[in-house]
Amino acid sequence: MKKIGIIGYNDGNGHPYSFSAIINGYDKDYMSHCPYKTIYNYLQKRNENEFGIGNLRVTHVWTPSEKVSIDISKCTYIDNIVDKYEDMAGQVDAVIIARDDVESHFKIASFFLERGTPVFIDKPLCISFTELDYYKPFLENGLLMSCSGLRYKDEIVTSFDGELDKNDIIYANAFTLLDWNKYGIHVLEGVTPLLGSDIVNVENLNGKNHYIVKVTYSSGKYLLIQLHTDVSIGLKSYIYTSNQEFKVVFDDNFSCFKRMLEGFNTMLITGKSPIPSYETVSIIKSLIRGRNEK
């Protein structure tokens, strides 16, 4: 058994609950009262045999709130609650940083990476070129993985059951919501398996409450992303060939997160991330440049 430490929590992000439940299973009574009804709803639709990731077990949890840590532990059968995340050092084989307040990632991640402990970081990895430079060696040597689970959506993994030839793609339109840092990466990452990661330019027409970002690839293909900070619905992508439209609606969090965690498990077993480091670096650079930063 590989012991996993789960580290959360920030407002609006239920991933400590969902990721731990997918690995450990969950208590229906406790989970039905967790702050994220959406998570409970999609968990209770799955069969028991769909839970579990290899020989992973979430054994330790830390959040800034003991009350939240206790709640997560009861919902997902975690035996140990620690007072500080540093207390997990030497007690776990790997950690999952399940927070999307990106500013918190570096301090926590570097503590474990410097000790040789493998780390998964919830999206986005960072929004700073300096931090990205720090993370590169760990991405390359199989000690760090970070992505949006939406790259594992069925239609993307299977290229729409083989109906879409990636070479025929001309452009894509994508729509995301609320916050560029937290949700822009979903569509950036979500189309990468189809469009590739050889990004040569990022342009934006950003305004006070909106982002309109054009991402151009070396092949000449492009992706146009729109986001308005007042709109909380509509996470989707459209892929166009010369005579067909393919639509991706990101509506299956369980399957996406499970495949993502399986990828992390693969990294723990093989010492190699299933996502090439250059892909993650390219995606994060585009995310940063989409913020009007050069």
Side-chain angles (χ1 to χ4, degrees), residues 38 65 102 120 143 160 170 182 220 224-225 236 261 280 292:
T38 300
S65 164
V102 63
F120 178 87
L143 208 61
F160 296 85
I170 295 177
K182 292 183 178 180
L224 190 63
I225 304 172
K236 58 175 71 78
L261 293 168
T280 302
N292 284 327

Side-chain angles (χ1 to χ4, degrees), residues 26 28 39-47 51:
Y26 71 104
K28 290 184 179 179
I39 293 175
Y40 172 74
N41 287 340
Y42 71 66
L43 291 176
Q44 57 92 27
K45 293 178 181 176
R46 315 303 296 213
N47 295 322
F51 292 85

Side-chain angles (χ1 to χ4, degrees), residues 241-256:
T241 67
S242 61
N243 58 5
Q244 284 184 289
E245 176 190 77
F246 297 86
K247 180 180 179 181
V248 185
V249 177
F250 298 100
D251 58 356
D252 183 4
N253 289 346
F254 183 92
S255 298
C256 291

